[in-house]
């Protein structure tokens, strides 16, 4: 599905929505051409329809529930996802992931509680209380901002491409299912073309290493040791569960 549109300072906005036949995944690629206009914020919104939502954010080798897992007084205006954001209400779960734009806002377009000295134009409702609950299941991907007057250029222009994808599954939030989608979407398989027939046979599937309990154990890296004596294998447990692998 191809969509074309424009905004006040974006004369060209092209969006491609891809739905797979045998894979439960929807991809949204948004290409924006931005005019050289200062003090502008751009978002791509995803207004999902889940009542009484709870959010779980896959950060760097850890999963957190916004607000619940935060220290008092820390911001709820912005978050940064590493391997996806899950929205669940006990009946169904949506897993959303961003490739180029990891910063997002949950539920509403919060004005952004940063130092007023940073703003070129101070947003409305700049002074506000941090959220105590997210009662809307919308996600706003924060794809572009130049509303600064410090050490950032106030003007930039050109083509920008932002890719997002999401899937869903029935039931409550499952860290294994959600993390698997986020990791696989952020680290897709890289195809290699081999020209002409090759001698010998290969098995149906092959990997340099395999891990049991792969639902919540991820291979982060496999590399040669610096002293050339053996290999270094790094694993990460992504569900918060004690497990042997």
């Amino acid at each position: 599905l191809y969509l074309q549109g424009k905004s006040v300072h974006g004369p060209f906005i092209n969006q491609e929505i891809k739905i797979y036949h045998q894979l439960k995944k929807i991809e949204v690629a948004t290409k924006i051409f931005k005019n050289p206009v200062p003090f502008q914020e751009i978002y791509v919104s995803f207004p999902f329809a889940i009542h009484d939502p709870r959010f779980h954010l896959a950060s760097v080798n850890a999963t957190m529930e916004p607000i619940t897992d935060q220290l008092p007084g820390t911001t709820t205006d912005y978050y940064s996802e590493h391997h996806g954001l899950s929205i669940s209400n006990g009946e169904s779960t949506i897993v959303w992931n961003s490739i180029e734009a990891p910063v997002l806002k949950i539920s509403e377009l919060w004005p952004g509680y940063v130092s007023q000295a940073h703003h070129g134009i101070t947003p409305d409702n700049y002074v506000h209380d941090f959220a105590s609950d997210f009662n809307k299941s919308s996600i706003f991907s924060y794809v572009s901002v130049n509303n600064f007057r410090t050490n950032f250029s106030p003007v930039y222009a050109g083509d920008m491409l932002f890719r997002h994808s999401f899937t869903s599954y029935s039931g409550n939030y499952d860290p294994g299912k959600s993390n698997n989608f986020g990791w696989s979407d952020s680290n897709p398989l890289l195809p290699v073309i081999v020209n002409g027939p090759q001698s010998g046979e290969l098995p149906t599937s092959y990997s340099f290493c395999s891990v049991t309990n792969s639902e919540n154990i991820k291979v982060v890296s496999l590399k040669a040791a610096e002293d050339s004596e053996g290999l270094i294998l790094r694993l990460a447990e992504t569900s918060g569960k004690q497990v042997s692998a």
Side-chain angles (χ1 to χ4, degrees), residues 123-138:
D124 294 335
N125 301 322
Y126 163 70
V127 178
H128 65 282
D129 295 332
F130 288 140
S132 59
D133 186 24
F134 293 132
N135 52 21
K136 299 177 182 177
S137 55
S138 298

Side-chain angles (χ1 to χ4, degrees), residues 97-198:
N97 189 50
S98 174
I99 302 297
E100 284 83 13
V103 180
L104 56 92
K105 296 187 178 184
I106 296 176
S107 189
E108 297 183 23
L109 280 176
W110 307 102
Y113 214 141
V114 297
S115 169
Q116 188 174 357
H118 287 74
H119 290 136
I121 298 176
T122 303
D124 294 335
N125 301 322
Y126 163 70
V127 178
H128 65 282
D129 295 332
F130 288 140
S132 59
D133 186 24
F134 293 132
N135 52 21
K136 299 177 182 177
S137 55
S138 298
I139 300 173
F140 299 92
S141 181
Y142 203 178
V143 299
S144 175
V145 58
N146 59 340
N147 185 18
F148 294 102
R149 61 183 181 187
T150 51
N151 55 325
F152 297 91
S153 173
V155 175
Y156 58 90
D159 284 322
M160 302 179 292
L161 174 65
F162 302 100
R163 293 170 294 171
H164 303 86
S165 62
F166 54 91
T167 188
S168 66
Y169 56 86
S170 61
N172 202 4
Y173 166 72
D174 184 312
K177 292 180 180 179
S178 292
N179 286 323
N180 280 347
F181 176 80
W183 279 72
S184 62
D185 187 59
S186 300
N187 302 276
L189 295 176
L190 301 178
V192 177
I193 298 176
V194 178
N195 294 322
Q198 306 294 312

Side-chain angles (χ1 to χ4, degrees), residues 10-228:
F12 301 102
I13 300 176
N14 297 326
Q15 198 168 60
E16 177 183 349
I17 301 175
K18 184 181 294 184
I19 302 175
Y20 291 87
H21 176 55
Q22 294 181 326
L23 181 65
K24 193 173 184 181
K25 177 181 179 181
I26 297 177
E27 294 179 346
V28 180
T30 306
K31 190 172 185 180
I32 303 171
F33 183 85
K34 182 182 181 298
N35 285 336
V37 178
F39 311 136
Q40 186 181 45
E41 298 181 358
I42 302 176
Y43 301 86
V44 179
S45 62
F46 295 83
F48 296 111
I50 290 187
H51 61 85
D52 300 325
R54 292 183 65 181
F55 295 85
H56 291 85
L57 187 73
S59 187
V60 182
N61 291 339
T63 299
M64 66 165 288
E65 183 174 355
I67 299 178
T68 300
D69 294 333
Q70 293 183 233
L71 294 173
T74 54
T75 182
T76 58
D77 289 354
Y78 311 96
Y79 294 94
S80 177
E81 63 94 4
H82 195 223
H83 289 118
L85 176 70
S86 297
I87 314 172
S88 178
N89 62 358
E91 300 174 1
S92 57
T93 301
I94 292 175
V95 191
W96 175 93
N97 189 50
S98 174
I99 302 297
E100 284 83 13
V103 180
L104 56 92
K105 296 187 178 184
I106 296 176
S107 189
E108 297 183 23
L109 280 176
W110 307 102
Y113 214 141
V114 297
S115 169
Q116 188 174 357
H118 287 74
H119 290 136
I121 298 176
T122 303
D124 294 335
N125 301 322
Y126 163 70
V127 178
H128 65 282
D129 295 332
F130 288 140
S132 59
D133 186 24
F134 293 132
N135 52 21
K136 299 177 182 177
S137 55
S138 298
I139 300 173
F140 299 92
S141 181
Y142 203 178
V143 299
S144 175
V145 58
N146 59 340
N147 185 18
F148 294 102
R149 61 183 181 187
T150 51
N151 55 325
F152 297 91
S153 173
V155 175
Y156 58 90
D159 284 322
M160 302 179 292
L161 174 65
F162 302 100
R163 293 170 294 171
H164 303 86
S165 62
F166 54 91
T167 188
S168 66
Y169 56 86
S170 61
N172 202 4
Y173 166 72
D174 184 312
K177 292 180 180 179
S178 292
N179 286 323
N180 280 347
F181 176 80
W183 279 72
S184 62
D185 187 59
S186 300
N187 302 276
L189 295 176
L190 301 178
V192 177
I193 298 176
V194 178
N195 294 322
Q198 306 294 312
S199 60
E201 296 182 355
L202 291 175
T204 304
S205 63
Y206 185 80
S207 178
F208 286 108
C209 66
S210 60
V211 184
T212 58
N213 303 313
S214 58
E215 182 176 286
N216 60 327
I217 295 292
K218 300 292 181 290
V219 177
V220 178
S221 63
L222 175 63
K223 66 173 187 174
E226 283 77 2
D227 59 3
S228 300

